[in-house]
């Protein structure tokens, strides 16, 4: 007889789940038994493939188009989840983007675009999710930050500020929601092999790799495994933490 997965009966929403880390997290949570909302903004075909992969594996998925920086679009997807499955138990704030340039060349638009998706998006989704989680007296919010949010990085003032901001949001929400049995944690991936890292030059990749004690880039599954653990009841007493998933680069 097969055992029920540790997330059986839970409803998860993964933002930016059409590819990369979000895709791996969505598939992993589904494998663990959760029903998964697959959010994307513009990559519909890729998101449909994730939705299909979850269904093929025998779990339930819901495709949810929304720009996480848009309050009314966020509200609409939470309503859809509420109607379909009775609201969210697990929220993974993963949607993120980069618009890199050195400070003196960074435009206001590039600053706003990164902060709006990476930080405001997490605020809007957390607020919407917390309403149902408070009602259910159970919840997990997991924010995908970055080692760049801890250490900074030339050319990424907007990205580093957004990822550091997520850590302040994590710790504050952990304090606000702890009494309702809702944990809020962040992970800080290092360099993970996705489209985001593929955009680096070969020279930049070699320089980064030389700084990673484990001598390899991470995989989306390396991140998904830790996120899935934080979503389970096993992690019930872990809150307000930042867990590095970086092959030792931050040491
Ligand atoms: P990715 O391959 O570029 O995927 C980003 C995802 O976010 C896509 O599904 C994209 O969907 C979605 N997205 C972007 N803006 C959105 C918005 N406004 N609303 C909804 N969805 C949006 O990135 P990744 O490498 O997997 O990174 C995922 C997360 O991990 C990001 O937060 C990133 O900062 C963080 N991270 C990545 C690394 C790394 O090395 N890769 C390291 C540390 C942290 P559409 O294409 O449909 O827009």
């Amino acid at each position: 007889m097969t055992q029920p997965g540790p997330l059986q009966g839970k409803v998860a929403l993964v933002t930016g789940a059409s590819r990369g880390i979000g895709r791996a997290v969505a598939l992993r949570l589904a494998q663990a038994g959760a029903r998964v909302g697959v959010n994307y903004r513009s990559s519909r075909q890729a998101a449909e493939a994730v939705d299909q992969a979850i269904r093929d594996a025998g779990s339930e998925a819901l495709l949810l188009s929304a720009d996480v920086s848009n309050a009314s679009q966020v509200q609409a997807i939470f309503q859809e989840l509420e109607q379909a499955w009775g609201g969210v138990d697990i929220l993974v704030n993963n949607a993120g983007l980069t618009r890199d340039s050195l400070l003196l060349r960074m435009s206001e638009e590039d600053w706003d675009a990164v902060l709006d998706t990476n930080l405001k998006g997490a605020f809007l989704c957390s607020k919407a999710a917390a309403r149902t989680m408070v009602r259910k007296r159970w919840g997990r919010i997991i924010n995908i930050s970055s080692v760049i949010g801890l250490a900074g990085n030339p050319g990424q003032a907007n990205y580093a500020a957004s990822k550091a901001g997520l850590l302040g949001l994590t710790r504050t929400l952990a304090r606000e929601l702890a009494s309702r049995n809702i944990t809020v944690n962040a992970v800080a991936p290092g360099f993970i092999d996705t489209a985001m890292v593929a955009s680096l030059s070969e020279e930049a990749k070699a320089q980064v790799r030389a700084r990673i004690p484990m001598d390899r880039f991470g995989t989306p599954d390396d991140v998904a495994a830790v996120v899935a653990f934080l979503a389970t009841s096993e992690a019930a007493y872990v809150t307000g933490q930042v867990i590095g998933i970086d092959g030792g680069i931050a040491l």
Side-chain angles (χ1 to χ4, degrees), residues 112-180:
D112 286 345
V114 170
L115 270 289
D116 280 356
T117 287
N118 299 11
L119 186 54
K120 183 181 166 191
F123 156 67
L124 292 173
C125 291
S126 300
K127 187 173 168 182
R131 281 193 220 285
T132 12
M133 291 175 179
V134 164
R135 195 182 72 220
K136 293 184 180 193
R137 290 279 192 280
W138 197 96
R140 298 280 184 271
I141 298 176
I142 300 147
N143 294 321
I144 310 297
S145 178
S146 167
V147 286
I148 306 299
L150 302 170
N153 197 30
Q156 294 199 300
N158 49 2
Y159 185 77
S162 73
K163 294 298 180 180
L166 271 182
L167 302 183
L169 182 70
T170 300
R171 294 183 180 118
T172 301
L173 298 191
R175 286 176 182 270
E176 286 189 15
L177 299 170
S179 66
R180 311 302 169 96

Side-chain angles (χ1 to χ4, degrees), residues 15-23 39-44 47 66-70 93-98 113 116-118 144-148 159 163 166 187-197 220 223:
T15 67
S18 58
R19 55 190 147 88
I21 293 171
R23 177 183 196 278
N39 162 252
Y40 69 100
R41 184 182 49 175
S42 51
S43 311
R44 181 162 185 98
D67 177 341
V68 294
S69 67
N70 181 309
N93 284 313
N94 167 80
L97 48 82
T98 53
D116 280 356
T117 287
N118 299 11
I144 310 297
S145 178
S146 167
V147 286
I148 306 299
Y159 185 77
K163 294 298 180 180
L166 271 182
V187 297
F191 287 81
I192 309 298
D193 209 354
T194 69
M196 208 173 255
V197 162
V223 180

Side-chain angles (χ1 to χ4, degrees), residues 26-241:
L27 292 172
R28 188 91 180 201
L29 296 181
Q31 261 168 24
R35 290 179 285 191
V36 181
V38 176
N39 162 252
Y40 69 100
R41 184 182 49 175
S42 51
S43 311
R44 181 162 185 98
Q45 255 188 326
E48 277 173 356
V50 177
D51 178 278
Q52 192 57 50
I54 291 174
R55 290 167 195 270
D56 289 347
S59 303
E60 290 178 66
L62 195 60
L63 204 53
L64 298 163
S65 160
D67 177 341
V68 294
S69 67
N70 181 309
S72 57
Q73 291 182 26
V74 167
Q75 207 185 351
I77 62 170
F78 275 87
Q79 263 167 11
E80 210 176 322
L81 278 167
E82 180 79 39
Q83 277 159 13
W85 295 331
V88 168
D89 304 288
I90 300 160
L91 168 67
V92 182
N93 284 313
N94 167 80
L97 48 82
T98 53
R99 293 276 186 278
D100 298 351
S101 56
L102 293 169
L103 177 66
L104 296 184
R105 290 198 209 117
M106 186 173 286
S107 68
E108 189 179 345
E109 287 73 25
D110 285 346
W111 174 270
D112 286 345
V114 170
L115 270 289
D116 280 356
T117 287
N118 299 11
L119 186 54
K120 183 181 166 191
F123 156 67
L124 292 173
C125 291
S126 300
K127 187 173 168 182
R131 281 193 220 285
T132 12
M133 291 175 179
V134 164
R135 195 182 72 220
K136 293 184 180 193
R137 290 279 192 280
W138 197 96
R140 298 280 184 271
I141 298 176
I142 300 147
N143 294 321
I144 310 297
S145 178
S146 167
V147 286
I148 306 299
L150 302 170
N153 197 30
Q156 294 199 300
N158 49 2
Y159 185 77
S162 73
K163 294 298 180 180
L166 271 182
L167 302 183
L169 182 70
T170 300
R171 294 183 180 118
T172 301
L173 298 191
R175 286 176 182 270
E176 286 189 15
L177 299 170
S179 66
R180 311 302 169 96
N181 202 27
I182 300 166
T183 67
V184 187
N185 291 289
V187 297
F191 287 81
I192 309 298
D193 209 354
T194 69
M196 208 173 255
V197 162
S199 65
L200 296 175
S201 69
E202 287 306 317
E203 193 192 347
K205 277 195 226 172
Q207 278 172 5
V208 168
R209 199 166 149 177
R211 290 169 37 220
I212 304 173
M214 293 195 82
D215 194 28
R216 68 170 177 89
F217 291 116
T219 66
D221 279 333
D222 287 327
V223 180
V226 179
V227 171
F229 167 69
L230 289 170
T232 64
S233 290
E234 304 276 280
Y237 206 53
V238 181
T239 198
Q241 301 304 302

